[in-house]
Amino acid sequence: MITGAHVIVYSRDAEADRAFFRDVLQYPHVDAGGGWLIFKLPPAEVAVHPAEGAGTHELYLMCDDFNATVNDLKGKGVTCQPVSDEGWGLLTSIRLPGGGHLGLYEPRHPKATEL
């Protein structure tokens, strides 16, 4: 029986991005040894989109109150890209200290966590 999923975020500055998840997002975590932090994520869902070739994988964080979440992150010094209304939800991306980006959106579609 599958009991969960493990997401990997690759980073040019793993220490800074771990600190971001710990201090800015305030995700609970355990130290797997040597400062290697493993974070508990909020409930998640997976969607399979059509792609040409092998495809890629992406990580999006979700929120229930987009404006409040973006304002909170900006207050903590997080850079957010311009917001777009995609019809299915409001979308931005947030810059990680290591240079990468994570998607952030407020879905308008039914949430799989409501099943």
Side-chain angles (χ1 to χ4, degrees), residues 24-45:
V24 175
L25 298 181
Q26 299 180 330
Y27 285 177
H29 59 278
V30 295
D31 189 326
W36 195 280
L37 304 182
I38 305 293
F39 296 91
K40 180 179 190 243
L41 293 175
E45 57 189 34

Side-chain angles (χ1 to χ4, degrees), residues 48-70:
V48 180
H49 292 237
E52 297 293 326
T56 61
H57 309 294
E58 300 177 14
L59 173 62
Y60 287 83
L61 304 176
M62 297 188 313
C63 61
D64 292 327
D65 185 335
F66 191 83
N67 292 326
T69 301
V70 168

Side-chain angles (χ1 to χ4, degrees), residues 88-109:
W88 44 261
L90 298 174
L91 176 68
T92 188
S93 68
I94 56 178
R95 183 166 168 77
L96 295 174
H101 287 86
L102 290 178
L104 172 68
Y105 82 106
E106 178 183 336
R108 291 190 181 121
H109 60 76

